[in-house]
Every structure is written in C-alpha cells, then in structure tokens.
Amino acid sequence: MRKRCLLAAIALVARGAWAGEASLNPAKDNSMWNDTPTELSSGLGPYLFVGANAQLSVRRGLIAFDLPAAVPTNAIVTSASMTVNVSKARGTANIELHKLTKNWGEGASDAGDPGGGGVPAAPGDATWIHNFYNTSSWTTPGGDFSPTISGTASLGNGLAEFTGTQMATDIQGWMSNPSTNFGWLLKAELEGSPFTVQRVDSLQNSTPENRPTLKVIYNASTWNTGAGVWSGAGNWNFGVAGGIGAEANFSFQSGPPFNSIAVSVDGTKTVGTINFASSNSYTLAGSAITLDRAGGITNINLTQGSHQIGSALNLNRNTNFNIAAGSTLTVTGTMTAASGIAITKLGDGSVKLNNVRADALNVAAGRMMIPPNGGDSGVSRLNTLIIDSSAALDLNDNDLVVNNGNFADIQALVLNGYRAAPDSTATGIVSGTSQTIHTGTTILALFNNALAGFTDYPFGSGNSIATGAIAGKYTYIGDTNYDGQVSAQDYTAIDANIGTSVDPGISWFYGDTNFDGN
C-alpha cells in the first residue's frame, strides 16, 4: 500500500546538502465530456475520465494542486512526478499532461460509479464548453492549454506515473506566479482512437491511497557554515531563508570547532518550515521567528541531533513538531499561538516548551515536556487536549487548564502517568519531578470548574479559569485546598468527608487526594 502525506522532508546530511520532498493530493479535479449538446461533468465524482470510448466520444481530465500548502515558497524545484491509479481500462493508452492557461471549476456534480457517462453540470463545474458552468466559457471548447507536453504516462489498470522535465518547470513557474496555477489537463495522445478511455481514481475516491499524488523534489535555503548571522547571504546555500511559506534547513555538520552552531536571528524572521538534520547542536537565538504559510500546516522537523530555539516563536498556522526518536528540541523562548491554532507532536523524540497555550494540543507520539517551573508562566492553557496511548505530556511541577475537556478522560491520563514506573516510558499526563524527586508524593490535582466555580484560584491573580474548564494544580497528595502544603486544614477536610459521595469532578476538595473514588 502506498502511503500518502501532505508534506515530507528528506535530509541528505553532508556539508550543507539538503533535498526536500513534498507529496500532496489535488486541491480540485474534474472531467469533461464532448457529448454535445448536453454539458456533462463530475466535479465531486470518485473518478476522472480521459480518452475516447467506442463511439469516439472524448473525455478529458482536469487536475490542480495547492502548492503553497506543501511546497516551500523558496523551493528550487529539481523534478516532479504524479502517480495515479487506474481502476478501469480497456487496454492501455498514452496520456499527456498539458499546462492549463485558464482557470476552471469543480462543482457539486457527481457521476458516481461507474460514472463513465457523466451527469449534467452543476453551477461552477468545468464542462467541454464552460470553464465555470454556466457563467464563463473556454476560449477553445475542450479547454485552454499549452500545446507543450508537460508529462506523459502509459495508463492501464493499476498504478501509473506521469513524468517529464516540463512538469518541474511548470511547478517552478506556478510557485513564482501563484495566480497562474490552473493545473494540468489530461488528454489521450490518440484521441481519435476508440477504446482509449481510462478511469482514474480522483480526489474524492473513497480509498485515500488511490487518489492522485504529486511528488515534488526541491532544494531550499540550507545553512552552510558554523556560527553566523541569519541574514548573511554567504551563510546559506540556495538563498537566505525568509518569507511566508519558506523553508530553513539546518543540516550542515562538521567536527570541532562546530560541535555547537549558534545562528544569530538578526531581526524578525518568517518561515513555513524549519528542518534540523545534524549531529551538531544548533541554537537559533535573537529576534522572534514566526511560522506561517499561505495554507496548510507549518512544521518544525528534527531528524537528527538535539537543537534549541532561544528566539520567541510565533505560530500563525497549525503546527507540527516532528521529532525523531532519541532527539530533543528545546524551545526556551516564549511560544505564542494565534487564535484557533492547533499543535501536534509527532515522532518518538521530545519537545521541551515553557508552556503550551493554544487552541488544541495533540501529543500523537513521543513526549512533550514543560520544564520545572511551578509558577504562573508554567501554566499550560488549552481548549482541547489529546494524548495518544503511547505518548506523554510531562508537566513536571506545572499546572494545566483544559477549557473543553472531559474530566474522566483527563483524570485517566493523570492516573496512568502517576501510577507508571518512574522512567521515560511512562505515558499519559506525567510528572518527571514527582517521579524522580518526590517519589510519588505529588500529583496533578484535578477539578471540574463547572462544579467548583472558581474565577482564578488556585492559579494566581489574572489567570482566569473558564466556567466549564478542567483544571489541574500540581501539588502534594493531601493538599486539599491547593495552598502548596499539607496542613491541619487539609486533614479537617478529609476527616469531615470520610464516606461522603461527591462528584469526582470536585472530590479532591473533599479529601479524595489519590482519585480512587473514596
């Protein structure tokens, strides 16, 4: 089975060498039939059609990709290919790609399965006559496209790959001038021959791995020396990294004196992706770094070594931290996420952050760690929290507020981490401080604020708590009032409520300080 992904980066670690690879599915696709006078289409159908049938009725396909969502804006494209899956064919046919010179639409029409006859076009569909049905027409019926062949493939049942040097040229041109990216037209080499029609699985196909995939190989800005200033043109191969959607690659490695490489961030920088792939330890410090791109997800990928970002880190898009096993990324600068931003931790390695304050956090693999702090700056605030059964959020001595959480789910994560062995394999919500220093005497004490009704207690003035938030205070077991110590007041609360049945969401205050339900 072929694996598909939105964006993958491949590092070739040598003296500053780096090759990137982006894989992406179409942004839109459609088919056109020349069966006049009926205008046919299949904008949301599961298949594309290209070639001629037994009656010499011609079909052509249209396909386009959202390049800025996956390919760096500073990419120097070296090659490209497109893989498709032919799910029905009578024999084989050579199919050509041609660069479209006019925009076109994907409407709500759906020819279904088998779909070879098309259906009447819906508003906005591309048809043989209209590029947008029925408000705009092609200059030439059948589509406006360059006569130059961008790529070719021999299609028959099964997988096929379009290749051609012009494909890379087309993509480079679209990256330079996004307003000209109308994608490619698929047409049979011999449209006058019968039985050349091919049924290609489309963007809407129910089997994701059968959808068309464009693969782009490129070079992008790559650091090529030891310590230096980010803006120094001589410090980079393929140009200085910068701009929305750009990629910055830190793969240069050498022996002493470059075991540690300091990159001075001289002035605010914006990129879409940062890749670390070096056994040397990079430190990026100075002015702020903003992660942003025109669409899709921004990324920090670490495939080798352990590295540090000392600059302030601003997240303007949903962001993936993908850290390889055995590696650690440490962010000592303040990290700020724009409204609605989700953070996903991928890879079996670790990320260290001063706190996580975002709309959502998904620890899908490995470990996300908040270093020992214990103060207001260490409080993580989220609307949604997801932690995979094999992953961990290590809060150490820090607190947590989840505005839209389920108490039982978060409590289960806390108990899973608390009861685990004191080592790095513990999963759930864990505390390295508790496990290694306090030997199990501290815990993330939870309450449901819908029941407690606090405004900011116990997190300090100015740290407000939403009415329905699930909040956790890192404290000693037995500290029922969250004042940071086990006192007579705590014993009084426990003694007064022995045997009392209390909603689990507020049971800590009544003396259930180990969450066993009693």
Side-chain angles (χ1 to χ4, degrees), residues 156-224:
N157 286 305
L159 296 176
E161 184 178 47
F162 285 90
T163 59
T165 57
Q166 185 63 34
M167 292 176 67
T169 303
D170 291 349
I171 292 169
Q172 191 74 68
W174 292 333
M175 294 300 298
S176 300
N177 298 285
S179 63
T180 65
N181 179 10
F182 309 131
W184 289 298
L185 178 136
L186 292 80
K187 65 182 293 289
E189 178 185 33
L190 301 174
E191 287 189 323
S193 298
F195 305 116
T196 58
V197 68
Q198 309 285 317
R199 191 181 78 176
V200 177
D201 293 342
S202 75
L203 166 65
Q204 286 80 21
N205 195 272
S206 60
T207 305
E209 58 265 29
N210 288 344
R211 298 167 186 168
T213 299
L214 176 66
K215 182 169 70 174
V216 181
I217 307 299
Y218 63 87
N219 292 315
S221 304
T222 305
W223 192 260
N224 64 16

Side-chain angles (χ1 to χ4, degrees), residues 282-434:
Y282 279 87
T283 297
L284 313 183
S287 299
I289 299 172
T290 297
L291 291 180
D292 200 359
R293 66 184 321 128
I297 297 171
T298 58
N299 299 269
I300 297 180
N301 302 309
L302 199 162
T303 58
Q304 183 185 12
S306 292
H307 308 277
Q308 180 174 310
I309 298 177
S311 297
L313 192 60
N314 302 317
L315 311 182
N316 286 355
R317 291 279 176 177
N318 292 345
T319 301
N320 291 341
F321 289 84
N322 193 347
I323 313 300
S327 294
T328 300
L329 173 68
T330 302
V331 180
T332 58
T334 301
M335 187 178 76
T336 303
S339 176
I341 295 302
I343 296 171
T344 301
K345 166 64 182 66
L346 302 170
D348 292 330
S350 300
V351 174
K352 295 181 180 180
L353 303 168
N354 292 327
N355 57 51
V356 184
R357 295 176 181 177
D359 181 70
L361 171 64
N362 179 6
V363 187
R367 209 172 192 85
M368 183 161 279
M369 305 170 65
I370 312 301
N373 183 311
D376 292 345
S377 65
V379 180
S380 291
R381 297 179 173 277
L382 305 162
N383 286 327
T384 305
L385 173 63
I386 300 173
I387 303 176
D388 187 83
S389 60
S390 63
L393 172 61
D394 187 349
L395 294 175
N396 278 292
D397 62 351
N398 295 287
D399 306 331
L400 175 68
V401 178
V402 182
N403 291 327
N404 301 322
N406 177 276
F407 183 85
D409 292 343
I410 296 176
Q411 184 187 60
L413 291 169
V414 171
L415 290 176
N416 189 65
Y418 174 73
R419 293 167 178 166
D423 58 33
S424 60
T425 63
T427 60
I429 296 177
V430 305
S431 168
T433 303
S434 176

Side-chain angles (χ1 to χ4, degrees), residues 7-12 15-22 70-79 172 175 216-224 230 233 235-252 271-275 293:
L7 178 64
I10 300 173
L12 305 176
R15 284 187 64 89
W18 175 277
E21 176 183 315
V71 182
T73 53
N74 59 338
I76 299 173
V77 180
T78 58
S79 66
Q172 191 74 68
M175 294 300 298
V216 181
I217 307 299
Y218 63 87
N219 292 315
S221 304
T222 305
W223 192 260
N224 64 16
W230 183 301
N235 296 331
W236 300 87
N237 294 332
F238 312 114
V240 176
I244 292 176
E247 182 174 281
N249 298 304
F250 299 96
S251 57
F252 173 85
V271 293
T273 299
I274 297 175
N275 293 314
R293 66 184 321 128

